[in-house]
Amino acid sequence: MGKRGYHHGNLRQALVEAALDLIVARGPAGFTVSEAAKQAGVTPAAVYRHFDGREDMIAESARQGYAIFADVMQYAYDSGQPSALAAFEATGRAYLAFARKYPGHYIAMFESGISVNRSPELAAAAGRARDVLERAARDLSQHIPEARRPPAAMFSAHIWAMSHGVVELFARNSPGRASPFPAEDLLETGIGIYLRGLGLIGPDDGT
Amino acid sequence: MGKRGYHHGNLRQALVEAALDLIVARGPAGFTVSEAAKQAGVTPAAVYRHFDGREDMIAESARQGYAIFADVMQYAYDSGQPSALAAFEATGRAYLAFARKYPGHYIAMFESGISVNRSPELAAAAGRARDVLERAARDLSQHIPEARRPPAAMFSAHIWAMSHGVVELFARNSPGRASPFPAEDLLETGIGIYLRGLGLIGPDDGT
DNA sequence: TGTACATCAGTGAACGCGCGTTCACTGATGTAC
DNA sequence: TGTACATCAGTGAACGCGCGTTCACTGATGTAC
């Protein structure tokens, strides 16, 4: 940490963190290499010792985001075990919590326009995150009679879509699009109604 | 239409359409005043006869988008009458159809970062669109026993969030995030399960 | 411990570029008489 | 129908700016002996 004289010590990570700050403050388009370098106390040219360029910085921010995201989701999933329902609900809540806590990562991941297939590392990190949610959905869907059971991938896509929609529309300080309800409540009730529709929770709450 | 010599005739609208094309092709960040002017066959300076600047062009694109959006949703709502359920489902389908048919408008509205409160005209157009969905939700929620009825604003926010999430994650050619299912199916089934959770459609389809 | 040396992270100056915006202007258009 | 004139949409040149990126360089660091 900290400067040790001429050499920075951990410039690569310091640049990622500067990028994340700037992405939050100015949006993915407003982020510039020069400003990130400045914020890290370094000349713009120094960036090129650690990254291939601007896009590469954003991609690395997104990769770290997916890694954290997967960890957070995995932790939530584990914490709900052995109940498939509790695990699933915790996972859903973790989605919004992640977006709140790591807005820069979230933007880099979902709003910066970088492709998840840009590099194998990025694709792997993204895949790991997706898999956690899909596994939680698969576990839970075992409780649905086979005949009426939707594919787990569809089930998790629904939840992912609603979570993402709530984040984008109501959790970000989307200028002028304030939610009539706290985003957390909105997502909680939305998922609740959805799960009731699948017959996974009873008409009046309990299993 | 068409040039009539020196004066363009309808440059303002031609510029909006050029902006929409560019937004689709290059994203909201990639859009430039100069290129829009060029595409309209005009000098960049000419833009300033019709707009206050770059942001104003995007805002006008978004405003026209909200106006079309509201019309499309209203038309869908009307077409489902007198059935509240049919009207609601048609409105949900219209959301995705709009995003497909008017991608430039959609991006200007939801991904460009311009505030919906930037101007009274923009806010009014956005409000009109929101109101249609909320009205469809209110009509439909009359069929839920009052004790278990969620607020219509919450109900419509859920549907809006799921629709928006499906569009963002699975309907755009989000590089590398191809859906395992067609977005239309995903949204249709998602809304179906949600409505079943509200007790608005029976466990095996019919009302 | 001291010296010579290889490494390589960061410097500082420079580049070409295209951007958004301004300005005084020009000349096509429509109108008044 | 013809002429004079006001309007104002679009021109073309120019601006200052900050961007991403390159390059030869320098000097701190760690290692071999």
Side-chain angles (χ1 to χ4, degrees), chain B residues 94-156:
Chain B
Y95 192 104
L96 179 49
F98 173 79
R100 290 256 195 235
K101 191 165 178 188
Y102 302 95
H105 293 91
Y106 195 90
I107 295 170
M109 291 154 68
F110 296 111
E111 300 173 35
S112 71
I114 64 132
S115 166
V116 95
N117 288 327
R118 192 173 193 282
S119 76
E121 296 77 27
L122 186 55
R128 191 160 71 86
R130 188 186 0 90
D131 288 349
V132 176
L133 183 58
E134 212 161 305
R135 177 161 169 206
R138 204 177 322 114
D139 290 355
L140 186 52
S141 74
Q142 299 303 317
H143 294 77
I144 306 174
E146 197 160 350
R148 321 179 39 230
R149 188 187 299 166
M154 174 174 274
F155 179 5
S156 68

Side-chain angles (χ1 to χ4, degrees), chain A residues 62-75:
Chain A
R63 190 198 62 74
Q64 295 189 13
Y66 276 113
I68 298 169
F69 190 53
D71 287 348
V72 162
M73 302 270 279
Q74 181 71 52
Y75 181 84

Side-chain angles (χ1 to χ4, degrees), chain A residues 7-8 11 43 45-46 49-50:
Chain A
H7 286 191
H8 184 288
L11 183 55
T43 282
R49 292 276 162 212
H50 299 277

Side-chain angles (χ1 to χ4, degrees), chain A residues 134-190:
Chain A
E134 211 161 306
R135 176 158 168 211
R138 205 177 322 112
D139 290 354
L140 186 52
S141 75
Q142 300 302 317
H143 294 77
I144 306 173
E146 197 159 354
R148 323 178 38 228
R149 187 187 301 166
M154 173 174 274
F155 179 5
S156 68
H158 285 150
I159 296 301
W160 194 11
M162 191 181 293
S163 303
H164 186 71
V166 166
V167 168
E168 292 291 324
L169 294 174
F170 306 115
R172 185 94 60 249
N173 43 357
S174 277
R177 194 133 40 202
S179 170
F181 310 97
E184 278 73 10
D185 293 355
L186 214 46
L187 186 55
E188 191 89 20
T189 55

